[in-house]
Amino acid sequence: MIEDESIYITRPLLPNLNDVYDKLKDVWESKWLTNSGPQEDYLKEELKQYLQVENLSLFNNGTSALLLGLRALKLTGEVITTPFTFPATVQALDWNNLTPIFCDIDPATLTLDAAKIEPLITEKTTAILGVHTFGNPCDVEQIQLIANKYNLKVIYDGAHTFGTKLNNIPIGNYGDMTMFSFHATKLFNTVEGGALTFRDNSLVGRLSLLKNFGIANPEEVVLSGLNAKLNEIQAVIGLEVLKLVETERKKRHKIKRAYESCLKDVPGINVLTKLEDECSSYQYFVIQIDEELYGKSRDWLHEKLKEYNVFTRKYFFPLCSDFEWYQHLESACKENLPIANKTVTQVLALPYYGELQLESVEKICKVIRDSI
Ligand SMILES: *Cc1c(COP(=O)(O)O)cnc(C)c1O
Protein backbone atom coordinates (compact mmCIF):
# COMPACT_ATOMS: atom_id res chain seq x y z
CA MET A 1 0.00 0.00 0.00
CA ILE A 2 1.30 3.43 -0.96
CA GLU A 3 1.08 6.01 1.83
CA ASP A 4 0.19 9.12 -0.05
CA GLU A 5 -1.97 12.21 0.01
CA SER A 6 -5.65 11.51 -0.52
CA ILE A 7 -7.17 12.23 -3.93
CA TYR A 8 -10.80 13.21 -3.69
CA ILE A 9 -13.56 12.92 -6.25
CA THR A 10 -13.85 16.69 -6.63
CA ARG A 11 -12.74 20.03 -5.19
CA PRO A 12 -14.95 23.11 -5.36
CA LEU A 13 -14.04 25.97 -7.68
CA LEU A 14 -13.22 28.72 -5.17
CA PRO A 15 -12.75 32.40 -6.04
CA ASN A 16 -10.00 34.64 -4.74
CA LEU A 17 -11.04 35.61 -1.20
CA ASN A 18 -10.05 39.27 -1.64
CA ASP A 19 -12.29 39.64 -4.68
CA VAL A 20 -15.18 38.18 -2.71
CA TYR A 21 -14.37 40.50 0.17
CA ASP A 22 -14.57 43.60 -2.03
CA LYS A 23 -18.01 42.65 -3.31
CA LEU A 24 -19.21 41.66 0.15
CA LYS A 25 -18.37 45.16 1.37
CA ASP A 26 -21.04 46.48 -1.03
CA VAL A 27 -23.55 44.02 0.39
CA TRP A 28 -22.67 45.00 3.97
CA GLU A 29 -23.06 48.69 3.17
CA SER A 30 -26.41 48.17 1.47
CA LYS A 31 -27.67 45.93 4.33
CA TRP A 32 -29.67 44.12 1.62
CA LEU A 33 -29.03 40.41 2.17
CA THR A 34 -31.80 38.65 0.26
CA ASN A 35 -35.15 39.13 -1.59
CA SER A 36 -34.32 40.24 -5.15
CA GLY A 37 -31.24 42.29 -4.28
CA PRO A 38 -28.87 43.87 -6.80
CA GLN A 39 -26.28 41.05 -6.66
CA GLU A 40 -28.92 38.48 -7.57
CA ASP A 41 -29.88 40.66 -10.50
CA TYR A 42 -26.25 40.98 -11.70
CA LEU A 43 -25.78 37.24 -11.47
CA LYS A 44 -29.02 36.58 -13.33
CA GLU A 45 -27.93 38.83 -16.21
CA GLU A 46 -24.44 37.27 -16.34
CA LEU A 47 -25.89 33.77 -16.40
CA LYS A 48 -28.42 34.62 -19.10
CA GLN A 49 -25.48 35.67 -21.23
CA TYR A 50 -23.30 32.72 -20.34
CA LEU A 51 -26.04 30.14 -20.89
CA GLN A 52 -27.47 32.12 -23.86
CA VAL A 53 -31.09 31.94 -22.76
CA GLU A 54 -34.01 34.39 -22.76
CA ASN A 55 -35.51 33.49 -19.40
CA LEU A 56 -33.69 32.52 -16.23
CA SER A 57 -34.77 32.43 -12.60
CA LEU A 58 -32.42 31.84 -9.65
CA PHE A 59 -33.12 29.57 -6.67
CA ASN A 60 -31.48 28.56 -3.38
CA ASN A 61 -30.64 25.14 -4.82
CA GLY A 62 -31.27 23.01 -7.90
CA THR A 63 -33.78 20.75 -6.20
CA SER A 64 -36.14 23.55 -5.16
CA ALA A 65 -35.74 25.04 -8.66
CA LEU A 66 -36.93 21.79 -10.23
CA LEU A 67 -39.65 21.28 -7.62
CA LEU A 68 -41.10 24.74 -8.22
CA GLY A 69 -40.57 24.56 -11.97
CA LEU A 70 -42.76 21.46 -12.13
CA ARG A 71 -45.27 23.27 -9.94
CA ALA A 72 -45.25 26.34 -12.21
CA LEU A 73 -46.10 24.13 -15.20
CA LYS A 74 -49.16 22.86 -13.27
CA LEU A 75 -48.45 19.25 -14.06
CA THR A 76 -50.66 16.43 -12.79
CA GLY A 77 -50.70 12.62 -12.89
CA GLU A 78 -47.71 10.82 -14.36
CA VAL A 79 -44.32 11.99 -15.58
CA ILE A 80 -42.01 9.75 -17.58
CA THR A 81 -38.48 9.88 -16.24
CA THR A 82 -35.22 7.98 -15.79
CA PRO A 83 -34.36 5.74 -12.85
CA PHE A 84 -30.64 6.45 -13.39
CA THR A 85 -30.33 9.88 -11.75
CA PHE A 86 -29.64 11.70 -8.51
CA PRO A 87 -32.52 11.33 -5.96
CA ALA A 88 -33.44 15.03 -6.37
CA THR A 89 -34.91 14.46 -9.85
CA VAL A 90 -37.58 12.03 -8.72
CA GLN A 91 -38.09 13.62 -5.29
CA ALA A 92 -39.06 16.86 -7.06
CA LEU A 93 -41.87 14.80 -8.64
CA ASP A 94 -42.83 13.30 -5.25
CA TRP A 95 -43.22 16.75 -3.68
CA ASN A 96 -45.61 17.70 -6.47
CA ASN A 97 -47.72 14.55 -6.01
CA LEU A 98 -46.61 13.42 -9.47
CA THR A 99 -46.03 9.72 -10.13
CA PRO A 100 -42.73 8.89 -11.81
CA ILE A 101 -43.04 6.37 -14.62
CA PHE A 102 -39.58 4.89 -15.06
CA CYS A 103 -38.28 4.46 -18.57
CA ASP A 104 -35.09 2.51 -19.33
CA ILE A 105 -31.94 4.26 -20.52
CA ASP A 106 -29.85 4.21 -23.67
CA PRO A 107 -26.70 2.11 -23.10
CA ALA A 108 -24.41 4.62 -24.89
CA THR A 109 -25.51 7.94 -23.35
CA LEU A 110 -27.21 6.64 -20.17
CA THR A 111 -30.03 9.14 -20.79
CA LEU A 112 -33.71 8.30 -21.39
CA ASP A 113 -34.07 5.78 -24.23
CA ALA A 114 -36.43 7.79 -26.45
CA ALA A 115 -37.52 4.61 -28.27
CA LYS A 116 -38.98 3.27 -25.00
CA ILE A 117 -40.98 6.36 -24.00
CA GLU A 118 -44.11 6.00 -26.15
CA PRO A 119 -45.37 2.66 -24.76
CA LEU A 120 -45.31 4.22 -21.26
CA ILE A 121 -47.64 7.10 -22.15
CA THR A 122 -51.16 6.89 -20.68
CA GLU A 123 -54.04 9.38 -20.46
CA LYS A 124 -52.52 10.50 -17.14
CA THR A 125 -49.11 11.43 -18.60
CA THR A 126 -48.43 15.17 -18.59
CA ALA A 127 -44.67 15.47 -19.07
CA ILE A 128 -41.30 13.90 -19.82
CA LEU A 129 -38.49 14.68 -17.38
CA GLY A 130 -35.08 13.84 -18.87
CA VAL A 131 -31.64 14.07 -17.28
CA HIS A 132 -28.54 15.05 -19.27
CA THR A 133 -26.57 12.34 -17.47
CA PHE A 134 -22.87 13.09 -16.84
CA GLY A 135 -23.13 15.86 -19.43
CA ASN A 136 -24.43 13.60 -22.20
CA PRO A 137 -27.46 15.40 -23.64
CA CYS A 138 -30.74 13.50 -23.97
CA ASP A 139 -32.09 12.70 -27.41
CA VAL A 140 -33.79 16.10 -27.35
CA GLU A 141 -35.16 15.97 -30.89
CA GLN A 142 -36.86 12.61 -30.54
CA ILE A 143 -38.21 13.53 -27.11
CA GLN A 144 -39.67 16.77 -28.48
CA LEU A 145 -41.38 14.90 -31.35
CA ILE A 146 -43.04 12.53 -28.87
CA ALA A 147 -44.03 15.46 -26.62
CA ASN A 148 -45.59 17.31 -29.55
CA LYS A 149 -47.53 14.23 -30.64
CA TYR A 150 -49.07 13.69 -27.18
CA ASN A 151 -49.12 17.31 -26.02
CA LEU A 152 -46.68 16.76 -23.15
CA LYS A 153 -44.34 19.20 -21.43
CA VAL A 154 -40.59 18.53 -21.56
CA ILE A 155 -38.37 19.32 -18.59
CA TYR A 156 -34.66 18.63 -18.34
CA ASP A 157 -32.49 18.15 -15.30
CA GLY A 158 -29.39 19.88 -16.63
CA ALA A 159 -27.41 19.76 -13.38
CA HIS A 160 -24.46 18.26 -15.30
CA THR A 161 -24.60 20.52 -18.35
CA PHE A 162 -23.60 24.02 -17.31
CA GLY A 163 -22.48 25.67 -20.56
CA THR A 164 -23.13 22.62 -22.74
CA LYS A 165 -24.13 23.13 -26.37
CA LEU A 166 -25.85 20.67 -28.66
CA ASN A 167 -25.99 21.28 -32.45
CA ASN A 168 -24.55 24.67 -31.58
CA ILE A 169 -27.64 25.48 -29.49
CA PRO A 170 -27.08 26.17 -25.77
CA ILE A 171 -28.65 23.29 -23.85
CA GLY A 172 -31.00 25.47 -21.74
CA ASN A 173 -33.03 26.26 -24.84
CA TYR A 174 -34.34 22.73 -25.33
CA GLY A 175 -37.71 21.60 -24.00
CA ASP A 176 -40.01 23.80 -21.91
CA MET A 177 -37.64 24.12 -18.99
CA THR A 178 -34.15 23.16 -17.81
CA MET A 179 -32.83 23.04 -14.27
CA PHE A 180 -29.20 23.84 -13.42
CA SER A 181 -27.58 23.13 -10.07
CA PHE A 182 -24.95 25.43 -8.56
CA HIS A 183 -24.05 23.10 -5.71
CA ALA A 184 -20.43 23.23 -4.49
CA THR A 185 -19.60 20.03 -6.40
CA LYS A 186 -20.83 21.37 -9.73
CA LEU A 187 -18.63 23.05 -12.35
CA PHE A 188 -20.13 26.45 -11.53
CA ASN A 189 -21.19 26.95 -7.91
CA THR A 190 -22.79 29.47 -5.58
CA VAL A 191 -22.06 27.15 -2.59
CA GLU A 192 -25.69 26.04 -2.86
CA GLY A 193 -27.88 27.36 -5.62
CA GLY A 194 -29.72 26.64 -8.82
CA ALA A 195 -31.60 28.06 -11.77
CA LEU A 196 -34.37 27.38 -14.22
CA THR A 197 -34.23 28.41 -17.84
CA PHE A 198 -37.57 28.30 -19.64
CA ARG A 199 -39.37 29.01 -22.88
CA ASP A 200 -42.64 30.59 -21.74
CA ASN A 201 -42.19 34.27 -20.72
CA SER A 202 -45.37 34.16 -18.67
CA LEU A 203 -43.65 31.89 -16.13
CA VAL A 204 -41.37 34.71 -14.94
CA GLY A 205 -43.93 36.13 -12.52
CA ARG A 206 -45.23 32.77 -11.38
CA LEU A 207 -41.75 31.50 -10.51
CA SER A 208 -40.99 34.71 -8.55
CA LEU A 209 -44.14 34.14 -6.53
CA LEU A 210 -43.47 30.45 -6.00
CA LYS A 211 -40.01 31.05 -4.53
CA ASN A 212 -41.26 33.76 -2.15
CA PHE A 213 -44.32 32.28 -0.38
CA GLY A 214 -46.69 33.48 -3.11
CA ILE A 215 -46.43 37.03 -1.77
CA ALA A 216 -47.56 39.36 -4.57
CA ASN A 217 -47.37 42.57 -2.52
CA PRO A 218 -47.57 43.58 1.17
CA GLU A 219 -51.34 43.10 1.08
CA GLU A 220 -51.70 39.92 -0.97
CA VAL A 221 -50.64 36.25 -0.96
CA VAL A 222 -51.88 34.74 -4.20
CA LEU A 223 -50.60 31.15 -4.19
CA SER A 224 -49.01 28.53 -1.98
CA GLY A 225 -45.28 28.85 -2.48
CA LEU A 226 -42.06 28.11 -0.69
CA ASN A 227 -38.97 29.95 0.46
CA ALA A 228 -36.47 29.19 -2.31
CA LYS A 229 -34.65 32.46 -2.92
CA LEU A 230 -30.96 32.79 -3.77
CA ASN A 231 -29.42 35.28 -1.34
CA GLU A 232 -26.96 38.11 -1.96
CA ILE A 233 -23.95 36.27 -0.49
CA GLN A 234 -24.57 33.30 -2.78
CA ALA A 235 -24.88 35.71 -5.71
CA VAL A 236 -21.56 37.39 -4.84
CA ILE A 237 -19.78 34.02 -4.73
CA GLY A 238 -21.41 33.11 -8.05
CA LEU A 239 -20.29 36.34 -9.74
CA GLU A 240 -16.69 35.61 -8.75
CA VAL A 241 -16.78 31.87 -9.54
CA LEU A 242 -18.24 32.56 -12.98
CA LYS A 243 -15.04 34.41 -13.92
CA LEU A 244 -13.08 31.20 -13.31
CA VAL A 245 -15.26 28.77 -15.23
CA GLU A 246 -13.61 29.07 -18.66
CA THR A 247 -10.13 28.42 -17.25
CA GLU A 248 -11.46 25.53 -15.22
CA ARG A 249 -13.01 23.99 -18.34
CA LYS A 250 -9.69 24.19 -20.15
CA LYS A 251 -7.89 22.50 -17.26
CA ARG A 252 -10.53 19.77 -17.10
CA HIS A 253 -10.24 19.26 -20.85
CA LYS A 254 -6.52 18.46 -20.41
CA ILE A 255 -7.24 16.09 -17.56
CA LYS A 256 -9.93 14.33 -19.59
CA ARG A 257 -7.42 13.84 -22.41
CA ALA A 258 -4.83 12.46 -19.99
CA TYR A 259 -7.32 9.97 -18.52
CA GLU A 260 -8.49 8.93 -21.97
CA SER A 261 -5.02 8.27 -23.32
CA CYS A 262 -4.02 6.32 -20.18
CA LEU A 263 -7.16 4.18 -20.30
CA LYS A 264 -7.76 3.72 -24.00
CA ASP A 265 -6.29 0.24 -24.32
CA VAL A 266 -7.65 -1.21 -21.11
CA PRO A 267 -10.13 -3.96 -22.00
CA GLY A 268 -13.53 -3.53 -20.35
CA ILE A 269 -13.05 0.14 -19.45
CA ASN A 270 -15.29 2.51 -21.37
CA VAL A 271 -15.27 6.32 -20.97
CA LEU A 272 -18.84 7.59 -20.73
CA THR A 273 -18.40 11.34 -20.94
CA LYS A 274 -17.78 11.95 -24.60
CA LEU A 275 -18.46 15.57 -25.50
CA GLU A 276 -15.50 17.86 -26.10
CA ASP A 277 -14.60 21.54 -26.25
CA GLU A 278 -17.39 24.07 -26.08
CA CYS A 279 -19.98 21.31 -26.19
CA SER A 280 -18.92 19.79 -22.89
CA SER A 281 -19.57 20.93 -19.33
CA TYR A 282 -16.59 18.88 -18.10
CA GLN A 283 -18.66 18.13 -15.03
CA TYR A 284 -17.62 14.52 -14.38
CA PHE A 285 -15.26 11.92 -15.68
CA VAL A 286 -17.11 8.62 -15.53
CA ILE A 287 -16.02 5.18 -16.63
CA GLN A 288 -17.99 2.00 -17.12
CA ILE A 289 -16.44 -1.30 -16.09
CA ASP A 290 -17.42 -4.43 -17.97
CA GLU A 291 -16.58 -7.13 -15.45
CA GLU A 292 -16.34 -9.89 -18.06
CA LEU A 293 -13.73 -8.06 -20.11
CA TYR A 294 -11.89 -6.32 -17.28
CA GLY A 295 -11.86 -9.34 -14.99
CA LYS A 296 -12.80 -7.38 -11.87
CA SER A 297 -16.02 -5.68 -10.81
CA ARG A 298 -16.75 -1.97 -10.36
CA ASP A 299 -17.11 -2.51 -6.62
CA TRP A 300 -13.76 -4.27 -6.50
CA LEU A 301 -12.05 -1.36 -8.30
CA HIS A 302 -13.77 1.20 -6.07
CA GLU A 303 -12.31 -0.58 -2.99
CA LYS A 304 -8.91 -1.14 -4.61
CA LEU A 305 -8.50 2.57 -5.39
CA LYS A 306 -9.35 3.37 -1.76
CA GLU A 307 -6.24 1.39 -0.71
CA TYR A 308 -4.25 4.00 -2.64
CA ASN A 309 -6.21 6.86 -1.01
CA VAL A 310 -8.08 7.50 -4.26
CA PHE A 311 -11.73 8.22 -3.55
CA THR A 312 -14.10 7.49 -6.42
CA ARG A 313 -17.87 7.45 -6.39
CA LYS A 314 -20.48 4.93 -7.52
CA TYR A 315 -22.49 7.60 -9.20
CA PHE A 316 -25.47 7.15 -9.51
CA PHE A 317 -26.12 4.49 -6.93
CA PRO A 318 -28.63 3.16 -5.94
CA LEU A 319 -31.12 3.30 -8.77
CA CYS A 320 -34.11 5.57 -7.99
CA SER A 321 -36.53 2.83 -9.09
CA ASP A 322 -35.21 0.76 -6.16
CA PHE A 323 -36.39 3.32 -3.58
CA GLU A 324 -38.71 1.61 -1.13
CA TRP A 325 -41.60 4.01 -1.81
CA TYR A 326 -41.73 3.11 -5.53
CA GLN A 327 -41.90 -0.65 -5.08
CA HIS A 328 -45.62 -0.70 -5.94
CA LEU A 329 -44.95 0.83 -9.38
CA GLU A 330 -44.89 -1.56 -12.30
CA SER A 331 -42.42 0.66 -14.16
CA ALA A 332 -39.95 0.28 -11.26
CA CYS A 333 -39.63 -3.52 -11.77
CA LYS A 334 -36.12 -4.70 -12.60
CA GLU A 335 -37.38 -6.63 -15.66
CA ASN A 336 -38.63 -3.37 -17.19
CA LEU A 337 -35.31 -1.58 -16.71
CA PRO A 338 -32.58 -4.00 -17.82
CA ILE A 339 -30.04 -1.41 -19.02
CA ALA A 340 -30.40 0.82 -15.95
CA ASN A 341 -30.07 -2.17 -13.62
CA LYS A 342 -26.92 -3.33 -15.37
CA THR A 343 -25.39 0.16 -15.64
CA VAL A 344 -25.83 0.94 -11.95
CA THR A 345 -23.38 -1.89 -11.13
CA GLN A 346 -20.80 -0.70 -13.69
CA VAL A 347 -20.26 3.06 -13.40
CA LEU A 348 -17.54 4.80 -11.44
CA ALA A 349 -16.87 8.55 -11.29
CA LEU A 350 -13.13 9.22 -11.06
CA PRO A 351 -11.48 12.22 -9.35
CA TYR A 352 -12.02 15.21 -11.61
CA TYR A 353 -11.28 18.89 -11.04
CA GLY A 354 -9.00 21.51 -12.54
CA GLU A 355 -6.35 21.34 -9.80
CA LEU A 356 -5.99 17.56 -10.14
CA GLN A 357 -2.34 16.88 -10.99
CA LEU A 358 -1.49 14.90 -14.10
CA GLU A 359 0.73 12.68 -11.91
CA SER A 360 -2.38 11.83 -9.90
CA VAL A 361 -4.22 10.91 -13.10
CA GLU A 362 -1.32 8.63 -14.02
CA LYS A 363 -1.30 7.07 -10.57
CA ILE A 364 -5.06 6.38 -10.75
CA CYS A 365 -4.80 4.93 -14.25
CA LYS A 366 -1.86 2.74 -13.22
CA VAL A 367 -3.95 1.17 -10.46
CA ILE A 368 -6.73 0.55 -12.99
CA ARG A 369 -4.37 -0.93 -15.58
CA ASP A 370 -2.34 -3.03 -13.15
CA SER A 371 -5.48 -4.61 -11.77
CA ILE A 372 -6.21 -6.67 -14.88
C1 LIG B 1 -26.61 17.97 -8.11
C2 LIG B 1 -27.79 17.39 -8.78
C3 LIG B 1 -29.10 17.76 -8.42
C4 LIG B 1 -29.43 18.55 -7.18
O1 LIG B 1 -29.03 19.83 -7.19
P1 LIG B 1 -28.89 20.65 -5.82
O2 LIG B 1 -28.48 22.00 -6.28
O3 LIG B 1 -27.86 19.95 -4.99
O4 LIG B 1 -30.23 20.66 -5.16
C5 LIG B 1 -30.15 17.27 -9.18
N1 LIG B 1 -29.95 16.45 -10.21
C6 LIG B 1 -28.72 16.04 -10.57
C7 LIG B 1 -28.58 15.13 -11.74
C8 LIG B 1 -27.61 16.48 -9.84
O5 LIG B 1 -26.39 16.03 -10.17
Side-chain angles (χ1 to χ4, degrees), residues 147-164:
N148 293 348
K149 184 168 164 192
Y150 294 92
N151 194 24
L152 307 176
K153 295 277 191 251
V154 178
I155 303 104
Y156 290 111
D157 177 335
H160 300 176
T161 45
F162 187 80
T164 295

Side-chain angles (χ1 to χ4, degrees), residues 134-136 248-264 270-287 350-354 356-358 361-362 365:
F134 309 144
N136 296 332
E248 176 72 8
R249 284 161 60 99
K250 291 200 176 83
K251 289 181 184 168
R252 290 187 184 204
H253 174 78
K254 278 205 187 114
I255 294 162
K256 181 174 179 333
R257 281 290 166 85
Y259 265 129
E260 282 167 348
S261 79
C262 288
L263 295 173
K264 71 173 184 299
N270 173 32
V271 173
L272 285 166
T273 329
K274 297 199 172 68
L275 293 183
E276 290 281 340
D277 301 324
E278 62 164 6
C279 294
S280 177
S281 62
Y282 298 101
Q283 171 64 56
Y284 294 111
F285 188 84
V286 185
I287 58 169
L350 300 183
Y352 195 50
Y353 48 92
L356 183 66
Q357 301 300 303
L358 290 179
V361 173
E362 275 163 28
C365 292

Side-chain angles (χ1 to χ4, degrees), residues 28-39:
W28 256 242
E29 273 160 29
S30 73
K31 298 188 168 41
W32 193 347
L33 299 184
T34 187
N35 290 64
S36 315
Q39 305 294 336

Side-chain angles (χ1 to χ4, degrees), residues 102-104 116 329-338 341:
F102 294 109
C103 175
D104 208 3
K116 294 186 179 157
L329 295 176
E330 198 196 327
S331 73
C333 290
K334 287 206 190 316
E335 307 81 73
N336 292 328
L337 305 165
N341 276 280

Side-chain angles (χ1 to χ4, degrees), residues 59-63 65 86 88 157-162 178-196 283-284 315:
F59 292 84
N60 59 349
N61 60 61
T63 306
F86 189 67
D157 177 335
H160 300 176
T161 45
F162 187 80
T178 301
M179 176 273 270
F180 293 92
S181 164
F182 307 150
H183 183 257
T185 55
K186 302 301 199 287
L187 175 71
F188 166 74
N189 84 87
T190 57
V191 185
E192 295 265 8
L196 290 174
Q283 171 64 56
Y284 294 111
Y315 196 55

